[in-house]
Amino acid sequence: MGKKFVYMFSEGNGSMRELLGGKGANLAEMTGLGMPVPQGFTVTTEACTQYYADGQRINDDIQAEIFKNLENLEKISGKKFGDPENPLLVSVRSGARASMPGMMDTILNLGLNDEVVESFAKKTNNPRFAYDSYRRFIQMYSDVVMEVGKAYFEKLIDEMKEKKGVTMDTDLDADDLKELARLFKAEYKEKKGVDFPTDPKEQLMGAVMAVFRSWDNPRAIYYRRMNDIPSSWGTAVNVQMMVFGNTGDTSGTGVAFTRNPATGEKKLFGEFLMNAQGEDVVAGVRTPQTIDQLAKIMPDAYNQFVEICGRLEKHYRDMQDMEFTIENKKLYMLQTRNGKRTAAAALKIACDLVDEGMISEKEAVCMIDPKQLDALLHPQFDAKALKAAKPIGSALPASPGAACGKVVFTAEKAVERAAAGDKVVLVRLETSPEDIEGMHVSQGILTVRGGMTSHAAVVARGMGTCCVSGCGEIKMDEANGCFTLGGNTYHEGDYISLDGTTGNIYGEAIPTVAADISGDFGRIMNWADQFRTLQVRTNADTPRDAKQAVSFGAQGVGLCRTEHMFFEGERIKAVREMIVSKTEEQRRAALAKLLPMQRGDFEAIYEALEGKPVTIRYLDPPLHEFLPTVEEDIIELANEMRMDLTDLKAVIASLHEFNPMMGHRGCRLAVSYPEIAEMQTQAVIEAALNVSKKHPDWNLVPEIMIPLVGEVKELAYVKGIVVKTADKIIADAKSDMKYKVGTMIEIPRAALTADEIAKEAEFFSFGTNDLTQMTFGFSRDDAGNFLSYYYDKKIYESDPFARLDQTGVGKLVEMAAKLGRQTRPDIKLGICGEHGGDPSTVEFCHKVGLNYVSCSPFRVPIARLAAAQAAIKFPKN
Amino acid sequence: MGKKFVYMFSEGNGSMRELLGGKGANLAEMTGLGMPVPQGFTVTTEACTQYYADGQRINDDIQAEIFKNLENLEKISGKKFGDPENPLLVSVRSGARASMPGMMDTILNLGLNDEVVESFAKKTNNPRFAYDSYRRFIQMYSDVVMEVGKAYFEKLIDEMKEKKGVTMDTDLDADDLKELARLFKAEYKEKKGVDFPTDPKEQLMGAVMAVFRSWDNPRAIYYRRMNDIPSSWGTAVNVQMMVFGNTGDTSGTGVAFTRNPATGEKKLFGEFLMNAQGEDVVAGVRTPQTIDQLAKIMPDAYNQFVEICGRLEKHYRDMQDMEFTIENKKLYMLQTRNGKRTAAAALKIACDLVDEGMISEKEAVCMIDPKQLDALLHPQFDAKALKAAKPIGSALPASPGAACGKVVFTAEKAVERAAAGDKVVLVRLETSPEDIEGMHVSQGILTVRGGMTSHAAVVARGMGTCCVSGCGEIKMDEANGCFTLGGNTYHEGDYISLDGTTGNIYGEAIPTVAADISGDFGRIMNWADQFRTLQVRTNADTPRDAKQAVSFGAQGVGLCRTEHMFFEGERIKAVREMIVSKTEEQRRAALAKLLPMQRGDFEAIYEALEGKPVTIRYLDPPLHEFLPTVEEDIIELANEMRMDLTDLKAVIASLHEFNPMMGHRGCRLAVSYPEIAEMQTQAVIEAALNVSKKHPDWNLVPEIMIPLVGEVKELAYVKGIVVKTADKIIADAKSDMKYKVGTMIEIPRAALTADEIAKEAEFFSFGTNDLTQMTFGFSRDDAGNFLSYYYDKKIYESDPFARLDQTGVGKLVEMAAKLGRQTRPDIKLGICGEHGGDPSTVEFCHKVGLNYVSCSPFRVPIARLAAAQAAIKFPKN
């Protein structure tokens, strides 16, 4: 034995959430506070884990412990389970550490059978109530425990109501309900082939197992994956004496929040329903009354409830979400928990609680879920207009926010229309790097193919642009310049709207409202900045993105990808010219054309950052990404370059790679063609010198980042070119400007040999996207083909590209940080890549002692908050 | 100062090879032994390193030290550098730690100029000798130091001989040679624009720098890369007083070995040339005499030489390769070193030295270069026939050995002809996995495309089949079933021959002789087996390969790749059927067809191994590798499978991957389609049970290896399927057979989390091919596009796919071995992949404590020897 698997409510308390689940711990806590809680007991989360370890069975020890506590409950209540004379009835409810949709919720009235219900009817002198309770029980038990769908029973109720000519359940009388209970049992027998279980203990064990089982249903698994909840946590089960809100007009049941969960307003918010039980309130069969109406109907119960609400909020020091039942005017508390709330409400409540002196600023900062902030940072649909609209389809919510604009089908058209002042939504089969400019000017992006990590999705998230991806139902008709969805055809210029948060697509214009960064938001961010030790930078390739990020509080650019600048307009021609060059001379001529453009880009970024640091990464992608793939584009290029078509095709073919991710890219390009690194150095240094002349007080120190290094000699070689070029330009300009040369750590070998690499690198930036790919040995572009199997089989529980794998990839990061500091104690360490905006990754970065995280502009506030929470949770000495 | 950069020969000794280079150390050693060595000094290897550190200049300190030692030499010799009255002349020769082709060799007679030569002629009373020395010096110095090609000077000599009507250099008289010296200097001035240097000290410094420079010429770099010599070693320079073999008929120069370097026979072997200097012996202008003829011409010098040979061999306890000069009947030793020898000679000499009591068995084992054994393990051309043949082309020597057979152009034809008894050579544009069977039955493989690591090369080396790859000069005419090379056209059925060791291609039949594994070979291997602690297994997929490996001493199969069995004949159809299946049911039906074939394969392998352990790796490559790529094959498959063509094409397209190396392969297949692992388990276990029934004494314990694991849960899942399937079959058979389940460690994350993985894995086998790819982040198939730049720039000095990168990849291996043992102290650790047969990697595996290495059959003897050498070098306590 040893382990205790079952606790009476009176044995637990609020701190035992891990063992008792959230619901159980809070019921125990309220019991301890002397509040009116019906007694009961909690089967622990460890019993659930044991259930799975035992091959999905409840072992004899645990069952015995459950029955022992049941006896206890019988003693306390003076009632007996299954005793027709004085039956004990219970509810059975799940309760994980964190509330989780998708799991079994509740079975009420357990303990009833044909015999018990008879005497129950007599004893309560309320046969309608007794049979109502019974039919509810059969219905819930059949549905939840035995998987006989709810619909079968609802059909029988509807038939009964029709037969009786009534519309409300409450209009059915005791006999109707008795008959319904009979019909329900018959339905059950037909579906399951056996009689409905009459032994209350059998009912109880069935219900407990159903809760355990529901821990592992697909919806629950999906939810856990989305919320980083490990499957090993398990769920608890609460068995509680029934109280009844359905005994008549002096009874009822309701839910309430101590403050408004949508706005945060400090005012009791909730609803209740007379003569009803459990799920009736949320089921929407009858319209519930608002909580303040209860003051008139049952003032005593109401006043007691208000008093309890106040106590609970003070006790938990947070807004509470409660369930209660009134049985014959007597109030019972069935649940309390910290209430879910919108992002705006979360900010307001946190600020108000500080102002009310209930919590500290530190606590306020810790109270906000950083991920929730996302919703406040993007445009949203006008709420009223949205209510009136009906989606024509839906797909993957690839990048949040709302967008409304005119349909365009090509990036070129997007640029053209946007320049003319139109708001556009870009609709593509899939996007490619060549579409960057068009994506940039669009309000939203809709793709037919591609998942959450497709090019469109990744780029859109980076830009903070709304994107809905992978809408396979769209029929594209490129020939006629239109697409069909939901039975309608949309042409270029037609309005559509996208909701990147839900994935909904609308065939009409829905007005959007800009992000509202209210005062509470600012207060919380200011507090966060006081507590955090990690700096927050941004990944931005354009002045526009950079400015956006600075307005969100970014302290610099951690990753400026130079290649994104290569796709626009005339540049791509020069880039292609460079790529197909056969001699260094030709290549240098093409690079000379690119130089002024790159220099101009960098000047604009430096201007936008107003003296904050900028890390510029040198050319990274394999060269074939810049080449045309379609015959006519190839012909055009050949003509432009006065090149033989066969010759050009041979060049393109020679650049083909079997595994481009592991091919000729990153610093390997600079090793092969040092003149590329020369040109980029010239552009960076000259830009910094030019801007420094205008703003000498900014003290610019360019940070040059060499990507994809795996060996120190590789870095030393490229750094040699950079230093030689830069020093000459700086000397010629008679300047004493300093600059730094560092590297991405994104190849496992770089992490493993970071002590060597730090001899050359003045800073490390962990490129965790590629590091994850190489460390796991799977390609982000292809992983979609098999990761779904991995989630199904619980081999991976979260997406390693969204949340840093701390066990494997994190080990490399930690090792590299340690080795790097060993060689160069003042080395600056940061992380770039999408992980930089993930709160759990931010916490990890804080713990391993990085200096900064860098993330996309729209994640900057999230990272600031997460960094503050990490600093509070893991203070540095 | 501090560091001493120059040593007189009398200051050094044989143990100072690192500092003085091999030549310098041995000159010092012979000096110490009192042998007749002309005096001189050595500029150290550290001076060379310093030269590069100083930006390719010799700093003042080092130059001063050189001149100081020069003065010393002047004192000893009583001569003076540049003094017309009594000039000191020197030779300048390079000397790295190991002798290295491609480096500057020798400059003789340095110190001569127009003035000095005049008096030298008078003083020696031998003007012909003086001018011969002078013209030689100008020629060598111009060529080696100033890069004015030899050819210009040879042309002048030829013109002179023609003018004089003579054929031999020795027929030119003093005046002719004087005139030649004048013409040479004029030629020099024309080419270089300045006069030939007359200051002997300037000449000397120029020569020293030329030696240093030659350390970094492309041929030297290439040689170092091939032989794992780090560029940081540097070369030494030896400056030695001249002695002259060209003073007349009482002088001469020669080279000799103490034993025959081709056969190992214990008999002085060498040649000499009268009235000659340095390179004349090897240049082949005149035919030298054999060494024993010297006994008649100059018996005293000969006897002294024989005596010295004996002393040197005893002193160095190895066969010596010496250079000597006789000046006016007096013998001088100019060099001694351990002589290079053929593999056969190496074995014989080692055995003889043991029998002569000169060395121990341990020393004999350490004396053989393991890589050299390769030459003894493959068929070779009949030497006479080869001499008569002329290659029609040459390409990359991708897999060693010799092959002769009739041309076939397809794998099918190869199989058909081979079955009919023909010996065939398969000629392909490039090979693919579908060609495996055809490659197997061929004597040799010739490809038009692909490098040393192409499919053809890798597979051929694995099979031990001769292969010449990447012969771009071949014009394939598939339409007419022929190819053109070297001006001739070859049709199917024509004979060609390939030399996989040289890369030569012959347009005729050259008979081959089988590998000769003589008695000496066996003796050395037996000694090696006594010393080594590492086991040696083999990578073999077929009974034939397995038997071959056992005959070479393999102690088991370390890697049996099941997929290679999937390509043959009818099987590929079932495999394809499995792949395009849309339901588990269809897939199971296809797998059921494969089951008996796989079972049969495994039975045959178990039979071949006669009870030795076999590790079977489950299906690894991405499925698309098995699908047809050509339209007509796709149509055929669609017909066979009664599948809609568009449908089939859609399936094929859906299997396309951007980075297949990091895609849906390895255990990811078993996670997605557990029924594949089930079938393979059934095949393995049933095969083992069947063979056990026939041979109960073999005590078979199947070893099942799950590839590409990156996370312990992944392994646990697949292992779960294996165990469930295996246990049932074993129980049904009422057997108590044991089996093991282990994993490849080939994903960085697996190495990083090896402690976790060892909870499930009973053995680890390091798949260093993939581990290298992922750790470096480069694809083996694509790396050819950029690695050449890396070699050029000395970023990488050896091919990480041939020689394990001990710094990065090795760190992961060591870490994983340690973590694995931490969890499971008795875990068995091995390495498979091509590195397993590389001697330096074998040494590494011994050092980190692996239990075995596994390599291709033809590398087994190499690995056995390397393992013994490692055990001797790094004994375990």
Side-chain angles (χ1 to χ4, degrees), chain A residues 194-378:
Chain A
V194 291
D195 283 323
F196 188 85
T198 55
D199 174 4
K201 284 192 175 173
E202 185 191 338
Q203 293 172 356
L204 179 63
M205 293 313 292
V208 171
M209 271 195 287
V211 173
F212 286 164
R213 231 169 28 230
S214 72
W215 176 251
D216 240 9
N217 74 29
R219 267 212 301 161
I221 290 173
Y222 180 80
Y223 182 85
R224 282 203 294 274
R225 191 163 76 238
M226 292 297 104
N227 290 276
D228 303 332
I229 298 173
S231 73
S232 61
W233 277 7
T235 181
V237 186
N238 299 294
V239 178
Q240 189 174 24
M241 255 177 64
M242 280 302 302
V243 289
F244 299 95
N246 59 338
T247 62
D249 288 340
T250 54
S251 297
T253 187
V255 298
F257 295 82
T258 56
R259 300 178 190 231
N260 186 314
T263 65
E265 192 193 0
K266 191 185 175 184
K267 183 169 181 296
L268 202 57
F269 178 91
E271 6 182 72
F272 78 103
L273 202 54
M274 297 303 292
N275 194 15
Q277 222 185 11
E279 79 287 4
D280 293 350
V281 182
V282 277
V285 186
R286 285 183 288 151
T287 306
Q289 294 170 281
T290 59
I291 193 79
D292 48 353
Q293 289 175 284
L294 188 62
K296 294 169 207 155
I297 304 168
M298 287 187 278
D300 289 351
Y302 177 78
N303 289 335
Q304 190 190 358
F305 183 66
V306 169
E307 186 263 339
I308 284 175
C309 285
R311 278 178 68 200
L312 283 174
E313 203 182 74
K314 279 218 181 63
H315 183 74
Y316 285 105
R317 307 199 304 155
D318 196 0
M319 184 264 265
Q320 294 298 296
D321 164 8
M322 301 149 300
E323 290 180 22
F324 64 94
T325 282
I326 298 171
E327 181 182 312
N328 297 328
K329 297 199 177 170
K330 178 159 170 36
L331 174 74
Y332 290 97
M333 297 301 295
L334 299 182
Q335 164 156 336
T336 192
R337 61 182 173 191
N338 293 344
K340 287 207 187 302
R341 63 206 77 177
T342 63
L347 294 170
K348 178 166 169 50
I349 290 170
C351 289
D352 286 354
L353 290 177
V354 169
D355 294 341
E356 292 164 24
M358 214 186 282
I359 61 172
S360 69
E361 291 171 359
K362 231 178 218 181
E363 285 168 310
V365 163
C366 290
M367 204 168 198
I368 317 285
D369 176 2
K371 283 185 178 171
Q372 237 189 335
L373 296 183
D374 204 31
L376 297 179
L377 298 167
H378 300 275

Side-chain angles (χ1 to χ4, degrees), chain B residues 590-728:
Chain B
L591 286 165
K593 291 185 198 169
L594 284 169
L595 172 64
M597 307 181 200
Q598 280 251 296
R599 190 173 47 220
D601 294 330
F602 295 146
E603 285 171 2
I605 296 240
Y606 281 127
E607 293 278 3
L609 266 287
E610 297 180 357
K612 294 187 183 66
V614 180
T615 305
I616 293 172
R617 182 182 72 180
Y618 279 14
L619 189 64
D620 184 57
L623 298 180
H624 50 74
E625 279 196 9
F626 298 98
L627 291 180
T629 51
V630 182
E631 180 79 12
E632 57 182 9
D633 294 345
I634 298 173
I635 293 172
E636 196 191 321
L637 178 60
N639 289 339
E640 263 167 24
M641 297 209 49
R642 288 175 206 163
M643 217 171 147
D644 180 61
L645 185 62
T646 330
D647 222 27
L648 177 58
K649 282 185 179 171
V651 171
I652 294 176
S654 76
L655 288 170
H656 169 264
E657 294 185 308
F658 295 97
N659 297 287
M661 178 55 53
M662 309 168 84
H664 197 177
R665 51 177 284 244
C667 69
R668 296 164 194 171
L669 296 170
V671 169
S672 312
Y673 311 120
E675 49 279 7
I676 299 178
E678 266 176 48
M679 182 283 277
Q680 293 204 291
T681 303
Q682 199 180 341
V684 170
I685 298 295
E686 288 177 356
L689 287 170
N690 291 347
V691 175
S692 289
K693 239 177 255 167
K694 276 196 264 176
H695 307 282
D697 55 312
W698 285 357
N699 291 320
L700 292 186
V701 180
E703 298 175 352
I704 290 170
M705 181 153 73
I706 312 300
L708 217 74
V709 164
E711 152 68 42
V712 64
K713 289 188 198 164
E714 194 176 27
L715 175 59
Y717 177 80
V718 181
K719 186 181 171 186
I721 295 159
V722 171
V723 167
K724 198 173 152 194
T725 310
D727 286 355
K728 187 174 180 321

Side-chain angles (χ1 to χ4, degrees), chain A residues 658-662 668 671-672 714 717 747 749 752 773 775-779 782 790 793 805 811, chain B residues 658-662 668 671 714 717 747 749 752 773 775-779 782 789-790 793 805 811:
Chain A
F658 296 98
N659 297 287
M661 178 55 53
M662 310 168 85
R668 296 163 194 170
V671 170
S672 312
E714 194 176 28
Y717 177 77
I747 297 274
R749 195 174 186 279
L752 291 163
Q773 295 196 87
T775 305
F776 276 84
F778 53 61
S779 147
D782 302 311
Y790 276 69
K793 289 166 183 171
D805 159 50
K811 195 166 182 176
Chain B
F658 295 97
N659 297 287
M661 178 55 53
M662 309 168 84
R668 296 164 194 171
V671 169
E714 194 176 27
Y717 177 80
I747 297 273
R749 197 175 185 278
L752 291 164
Q773 296 197 86
T775 305
F776 275 85
F778 53 59
S779 148
D782 301 311
Y789 296 103
Y790 276 68
K793 289 165 183 172
D805 158 51
K811 194 166 182 178

Side-chain angles (χ1 to χ4, degrees), chain A residues 465-483:
Chain A
T465 300
C466 159
C467 174
V468 173
S469 71
C471 185
E473 287 149 39
I474 287 181
K475 289 212 170 20
M476 269 291 215
D477 182 353
E478 297 193 347
N480 296 305
C482 62
F483 74 90

Side-chain angles (χ1 to χ4, degrees), chain B residues 223-230 233 371 797-799 803 838 840:
Chain B
Y223 182 85
R224 284 203 294 273
R225 190 162 77 238
M226 291 300 101
N227 292 276
D228 302 334
I229 298 174
W233 277 9
K371 283 185 177 171
E797 299 190 27
S798 68
D799 176 359
R803 180 174 193 261
D838 165 64
S840 76

